[in-house]
């Protein structure tokens, strides 16, 4: 072949190759513009030699806080980040109010996607994604109205749970803080939701409930490693997903009889009644909805209780002051919703623990149900999963000396507020500066109830026990993705003390 022929062939192939490269470029550019129309930075993308996103997920899981913080360096307010749940649009807290007020961003749809809606075994969590919002309605309207009536059963059950798990032993004895808090909370939560005194004290039920929640979170975490189209198939074989399905069946066996139990609505109230009322004739699956309630309440409340105790243990002077507050207020008025509402210092200590160690480094998870253009022009395409960063809650950018625990912080701020009952410094208030219960229209609807039952448990603990927490080498927390969990290795030593007033 002559030299010119080589050149001609090369030119022909070069043309083809160039055409193909241009086509690929335009296809990629089109796709990128579709999901990233505002041309935002993309962090922790997979590297060119990485197949899939496994390594990117590992990098995220090893330092979620560092990654979130690095995204906001150089003044960015929004960026895409590959997290353990693939790409999420991370927004700065400056967007918290606007996102919170806009129902085109839906929490249920986000949770549905993140917790594998449609895959057998995950029905209890996926219930949050139901279009009827039956669960949210039941909590917001029915449970909220019943709360004053629930104080007495909650108080009785908290006393019994502590007697059983922490005992009346006056010598110091050691327990695992997270495990033991979860048992206590599980018993209290079950008493009110199930309305069944026997079942809520049944060790087999409490263990199963705890196991089921843990297995669900672990299985969901494992399943996220698979591409979405393969998850249904993978879930059939993965041991953790099989365990979720098996545990769910056992849970159903416990719950089934409650469906047929006669109750007197004048005397008793249970989740079944609230769900029935909220459903207004629409079909619902009581047993899995009951579990959804337990899931929304149990880990979150265990988390708050354990983290509050951990911080209180380091501040004995604060413990003395809260005890005095309880003795003075509850001693005079008895334990009621109103007197609990006046325990400002206890409220403040809990809010401060939640500020420094909330459920996760990001919050306000939402799925865009349609394309939205925010007031500053940021375009959020339909189907985008977003999260608002909560890192600013824990540092001094918002709260003076914000890295340090100050249990008196919110009580002092509340004293200076015009109206202490509507002040943003209460545990249950949400704002873009403190999103421990999320923020906006879809902020946790169970937070008022959660605050009451956690305070009831803490009143019992503070009056009846001396306690001291021992931390493992790794410190008070452990991470699961971007979720901040109380470290399972934290120990608490307790001994019974003589309470000043009886509850
Ligand atoms: C200390 C305990 C609790 C904490 C820290 C907590 C925290 C949260 C957070 C951060 C959210 C997301 C809010 C947002 O993104 O704006 C949420 C949602 C939710 N929580 Fe809670 N929660 C707690 C207890 C409870 C309890 C006791 C219930 C039920 C009785 C409950 C029911 C729900 C429900 C149904 C949602 C979904 C709301 C929706 O889809 O609109 N939570 N919670």
């Amino acid at each position: 072949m002559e030299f010119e022929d080589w050149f001609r062939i090369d030119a022909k192939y070069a043309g083809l190759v160039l055409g193909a490269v241009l086509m690929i470029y335009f296809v990629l550019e089109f796709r990128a513009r579709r999901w990233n129309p505002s041309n935002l930075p993309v962090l922790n993308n997979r590297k060119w030699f990485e197949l899939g996103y496994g390594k990117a997920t590992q990098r995220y899981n090893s330092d979620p806080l560092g990654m979130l913080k690095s995204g906001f360096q150089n003044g960015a307010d929004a960026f895409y980040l590959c997290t353990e749940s693939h790409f999420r649009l991370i927004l700065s807290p400056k967007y918290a109010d606007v996102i919170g007020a806009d129902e085109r961003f839906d929490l249920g749809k986000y949770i549905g996607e993140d917790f594998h809606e449609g895959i057998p075994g995950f029905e209890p969590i996926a219930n949050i994604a139901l279009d009827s919002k039956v669960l949210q309605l039941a909590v917001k309207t029915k449970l909220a109205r019943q709360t004053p009536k629930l104080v007495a059963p909650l108080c009785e059950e908290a006393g019994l749970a502590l007697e059983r798990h922490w005992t009346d032993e006056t010598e110091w004895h050691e327990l695992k803080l997270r495990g033991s808090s979860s048992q206590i909370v599980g018993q209290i939560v079950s008493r009110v939701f199930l309305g069944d005194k026997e079942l809520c004290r049944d060790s087999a039920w409490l263990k199963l409930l705890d196991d089921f929640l843990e297995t669900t979170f672990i299985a969901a975490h494992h399943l996220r490693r698979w591409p979405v189209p393969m998850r249904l198939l993978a879930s059939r074989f993965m041991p953790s997903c099989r365990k979720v399905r098996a545990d769910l069946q056992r849970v159903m066996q416990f719950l089934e009889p409650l469906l047929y139990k006669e109750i007197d609505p004048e005397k008793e109230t249970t989740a079944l009644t609230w769900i029935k009322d909220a459903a207004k004739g629409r079909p619902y699956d009581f047993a899995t909805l009951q579990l959804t309630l337990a899931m929304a309440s149990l880990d979150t409340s265990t988390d708050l209780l354990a983290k509050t105790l951990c911080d209180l243990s380091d501040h004995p002077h604060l413990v003395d002051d809260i005890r005095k507050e309880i003795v003075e207020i509850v001693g005079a008025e008895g334990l009621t919703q109103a007197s609990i509402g006046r325990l400002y210092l206890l409220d403040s200590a809990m809010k401060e623990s939640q500020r420094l160690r909330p459920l996760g480094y990001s919050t306000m998870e939402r799925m865009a149900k349609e394309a939205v253009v925010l007031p500053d022009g940021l375009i959020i395409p339909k189907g985008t999963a977003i999260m608002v960063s909560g890192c600013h809650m824990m540092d001094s950018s918002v709260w003076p000396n914000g890295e340090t625990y100050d249990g008196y912080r919110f009580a002092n701020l509340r004293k200076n507020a015009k109206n202490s009952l509507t002040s943003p410094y209460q545990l249950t208030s949400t704002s873009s500066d403190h999103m421990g219960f999320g923020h906006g229209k879809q902020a946790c609807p169970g937070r008022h109830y959660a605050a009451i039952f956690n305070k009831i448990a803490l009143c019992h603990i503070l009056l009846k026990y001396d306690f001291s927490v021992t931390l493992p080498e790794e410190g008070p927390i452990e991470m699961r993705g971007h979720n901040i969990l109380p470290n399972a290795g934290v120990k608490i030593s307790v001994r019974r003390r003589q309470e000043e007033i009886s509850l």
Side-chain angles (χ1 to χ4, degrees):
M1 197 185 285
E2 296 295 317
F3 174 74
E4 300 90 79
D5 293 336
W6 275 109
F7 186 74
R8 258 197 295 280
I9 293 167
D10 276 357
K12 195 169 116 196
Y13 282 109
L16 280 174
V17 170
L18 186 68
V21 167
L22 281 174
M23 221 163 89
I24 292 170
Y25 171 78
F26 283 122
V27 169
L28 291 179
E29 187 64 17
F30 175 72
R31 277 188 50 190
R33 275 170 197 267
R34 228 170 40 151
W35 70 265
N36 187 4
S38 298
N39 219 0
L40 299 171
V42 179
L43 264 76
N44 193 30
N45 208 340
R46 69 173 174 203
K47 303 199 166 128
W48 67 267
F49 52 85
E50 289 172 359
L51 285 176
Y53 287 91
K55 288 266 182 254
T57 302
Q58 274 175 20
R59 284 193 291 274
Y60 176 75
N61 283 342
S62 66
D63 185 18
L65 179 62
M67 289 213 175
L68 285 169
K69 285 195 165 167
S70 73
F72 290 116
Q73 270 163 11
N74 310 320
D77 282 322
F79 56 91
Y80 286 92
L81 174 65
C82 183
T83 66
E84 66 149 332
S85 312
H86 210 51
F87 281 99
R88 296 301 186 230
L89 172 58
I90 311 290
L91 298 175
S92 93
K94 83 167 200 186
Y95 292 107
D97 289 335
V98 90
I99 297 289
D102 192 331
E103 281 173 308
R104 287 174 293 175
F105 300 109
D106 193 74
L107 168 61
K109 295 284 171 247
Y110 180 105
I111 294 180
E113 193 233 48
D114 210 29
F115 280 91
H116 318 297
E117 187 184 4
I119 295 187
F122 291 95
E123 294 86 350
I125 292 208
N127 279 335
I128 294 216
L130 291 175
D131 286 330
S132 62
K133 301 252 173 209
V134 56
L135 188 88
Q136 288 85 338
L137 278 172
V139 174
K140 218 177 257 179
T141 55
K142 311 295 166 192
L143 170 61
R145 244 174 258 151
Q146 298 297 334
T147 305
K149 275 199 216 162
L150 299 175
V151 172
L154 285 170
C155 182
E156 183 192 20
E157 211 54 51
L160 290 170
L162 280 161
E163 199 181 307
R164 176 174 176 188
H165 298 289
W166 285 19
T167 76
D168 282 341
E169 177 62 65
T170 49
E171 293 297 316
W172 286 105
H173 52 287
E174 202 176 57
L175 303 149
K176 290 223 164 142
L177 176 61
R178 193 168 102 194
S180 144
S181 304
S182 164
Q183 285 169 328
I184 293 164
V185 171
Q187 185 169 332
I188 308 175
V189 161
S190 299
R191 163 77 184 265
V192 166
F193 289 162
L194 304 177
D196 189 295
K197 288 187 190 176
E198 275 171 36
L199 187 53
C200 80
R201 294 166 202 164
D202 181 334
S203 329
W205 159 255
L206 292 172
K207 171 142 188 6
L208 179 60
L209 184 61
D210 198 41
D211 282 356
F212 178 71
L213 298 192
E214 184 69 3
T215 320
T216 302
F217 284 104
I218 291 173
H221 186 68
H222 288 168
L223 203 51
R224 286 186 200 118
R225 293 181 193 147
W226 290 83
V228 176
M230 292 175 71
R231 287 184 187 168
L232 180 60
L233 184 65
S235 73
R236 299 215 172 272
F237 305 103
M238 286 168 57
S240 53
C241 292
R242 289 163 72 154
K243 181 158 175 9
V244 169
R245 289 194 294 275
D247 282 358
L248 183 58
Q249 292 222 321
R250 290 175 54 217
V251 169
M252 294 304 179
Q253 285 163 9
F254 275 99
L255 293 179
E256 202 89 332
L258 297 182
L259 285 172
Y260 310 102
K261 193 180 145 192
E262 296 279 322
I263 62 159
D264 175 358
E266 293 300 311
K267 288 198 189 134
E268 274 181 87
T269 170
T270 68
L272 178 57
T273 3
W274 318 325
I275 292 169
K276 245 187 212 163
D277 289 353
K280 293 196 180 121
R282 282 171 296 211
Y284 62 87
D285 175 358
F286 168 71
T288 61
L289 278 165
Q290 169 73 257
L291 269 176
T292 319
L293 272 179
M295 286 175 134
S297 327
L298 214 151
D299 277 358
T300 49
S301 300
T302 300
D303 184 275
L304 182 58
L305 184 64
K307 287 171 181 168
T308 305
L309 285 171
C310 228
D311 290 327
L312 286 178
S313 162
D314 270 352
H315 298 87
H317 185 62
L318 175 62
V319 170
D320 286 343
D321 285 348
I322 299 178
R323 275 190 187 131
K324 277 185 210 145
E325 180 183 71
I326 300 172
V327 171
E328 191 184 316
I329 295 174
V330 178
E333 302 170 32
L335 198 66
T336 61
Q337 186 171 7
S339 67
I340 295 169
R342 274 194 279 285
L343 300 174
Y344 289 3
L345 191 52
L346 178 60
D347 190 275
S348 169
M350 293 166 79
K351 193 171 180 76
E352 178 71 347
S353 291
Q354 202 189 36
R355 180 187 73 77
L356 271 172
R357 295 191 204 101
L359 292 174
Y361 287 123
S362 48
T363 175
M364 293 190 72
E365 296 165 331
R366 306 280 188 271
M367 177 74 77
K369 291 193 287 185
E370 54 187 87
V372 180
V373 182
L374 296 186
D376 66 354
L378 182 70
I379 305 168
I380 303 190
K382 179 177 175 180
T384 305
I386 60 178
M387 307 198 289
V388 177
S389 166
C391 303
H392 63 298
M393 284 164 54
M394 304 159 214
D395 61 31
S396 298
S397 59
V398 182
W399 304 104
N401 205 6
E403 285 83 7
T404 313
Y405 177 88
D406 173 5
Y408 298 87
R409 180 189 303 274
F410 294 106
N412 289 336
L413 287 165
R414 222 169 144 180
K415 262 188 220 150
N416 302 327
K418 273 194 197 133
N419 182 344
S420 62
L421 291 177
T422 54
S423 103
Y425 307 119
Q426 296 178 73
L427 175 61
T428 51
S429 312
T430 73
S431 74
S432 57
D433 293 339
H434 192 314
M435 301 187 284
F437 285 107
H439 184 47
K441 289 188 177 167
Q442 295 164 79
C444 175
R447 63 191 189 277
H448 300 282
Y449 171 71
I452 285 185
F453 93 70
N454 276 287
K455 283 180 194 174
I456 292 177
L458 281 162
C459 283
H460 277 271
I461 291 174
L462 291 170
L463 290 184
K464 294 182 180 169
Y465 293 91
D466 289 318
F467 58 92
S468 159
V469 164
T470 317
L471 300 182
E473 237 172 65
E474 318 82 69
I477 55 160
E478 66 181 63
M479 299 300 302
R480 186 180 289 159
H482 57 252
N483 295 321
I484 308 170
L485 273 59
N487 193 314
V490 175
K491 304 251 177 63
I492 184 162
S493 294
V494 297
R495 71 171 176 200
R496 188 72 163 83
R497 71 189 282 280
Q498 183 54 54
E499 63 269 40
E500 293 81 349
I501 51 167
S502 63
L503 291 170

